Amino acid sequence: MRQVAQLEGFALTINYGWLGGMALEKLGSTFPPETSQQCEGSDGIVFGAVSQGGLLELRRHFDFFINLRPIRSCPGLLHTSSLRPEKVQNLDILIVRELVSGIYFGAGKGIANPLGTLAGCVLMLQQWGEIKAAQRILNAQERLLGKGYRTADLSPQNHETLVNTATLVDLFLEEISLEQLTQ
């Protein structure tokens, strides 16, 4: 960025803020007020990988409308790629992702990934005016979660039953049939 600023002849000031796991450790929050205030006084926000939260809060707070993901291969790391080295060598692309809000944020805490995906379907159905179909999905989710089923990513507690994703999907299908969605 500094090089681009120099080449294009504009001033650039870079400030660093805390976000994610390090922010939680140092300031007690994954998206601390200090970082929010620092960002609010900036013309732009650029960040890299973040762990343990903060990123979605940042996106939601500023109502971001686009997510840019530059990807450039590093010759010294080609052997670590899950893709064949010849497929990713000299890779230099920019992925522009527009969906950075709404369904992207998921359904919230306490809902396993497959159920979070269904909650995204609920949002879509509601926007299309299919309120009854959306409500059927929500009711089935509530019943399933009420029975205590969870996947490992939710760290089940004593009163919950640990199941894998495929089993959770099967259990959901027991709660609601596809025919009910078309009625």
Side-chain angles (χ1 to χ4, degrees):
M1 288 191 317
R2 287 185 175 109
Q3 194 171 21
V4 171
Q6 184 179 9
L7 288 171
E8 296 298 321
F10 62 86
L12 179 67
T13 302
I14 298 176
N15 297 305
Y16 296 91
W18 294 103
L19 189 70
M22 292 298 293
L24 182 61
E25 186 178 306
K26 293 193 177 291
L27 301 171
S29 170
T30 57
F31 181 46
E34 296 91 334
T35 300
S36 176
Q37 291 168 0
Q38 188 175 17
C39 292
E40 286 171 4
S42 301
D43 292 324
I45 302 168
V46 178
F47 54 86
V50 178
S51 66
Q52 299 179 6
L55 178 59
L56 295 181
E57 293 88 344
L58 177 75
R59 289 178 177 165
R60 187 177 294 118
H61 179 81
F62 289 101
D63 194 24
F64 287 158
F65 67 94
I66 197 163
N67 185 349
L68 302 175
R69 295 185 179 193
I71 301 171
R72 181 175 291 158
S73 62
C74 299
L77 296 176
L78 288 178
H79 69 282
T80 65
S81 174
S82 58
L83 302 172
R84 292 193 314 241
E86 63 271 15
K87 295 292 184 185
V88 293
Q89 68 185 8
N90 302 319
L91 185 66
D92 187 5
I93 62 174
L94 176 65
I95 295 174
V96 179
R97 182 175 178 174
E98 294 182 73
L99 184 58
V100 294
S101 61
I103 294 172
Y104 182 80
F105 290 110
K109 292 183 178 180
I111 297 178
N113 291 335
L115 297 177
T117 300
L118 289 169
C121 293
V122 167
L123 290 174
M124 181 180 63
L125 289 168
Q126 289 171 337
Q127 288 188 343
W128 289 346
E130 297 291 336
I131 306 305
K132 288 181 181 178
Q135 193 58 53
R136 284 188 193 113
I137 292 173
L138 286 173
N139 292 343
Q141 282 183 332
E142 247 177 65
R143 288 191 305 270
L144 193 56
L145 292 172
K147 293 177 181 178
Y149 293 108
R150 300 289 188 275
T151 54
D153 60 325
L154 296 176
S155 304
Q157 298 173 6
N158 295 337
H159 64 282
E160 296 170 340
T161 303
L162 178 64
V163 295
N164 64 31
T165 300
T167 302
L168 193 61
V169 170
D170 288 342
L171 290 167
F172 175 79
L173 291 175
E174 288 176 15
E175 292 291 332
I176 185 171
S177 70
L178 294 177
E179 290 79 18
Q180 288 177 308
L181 294 175
T182 59
Q183 292 179 357

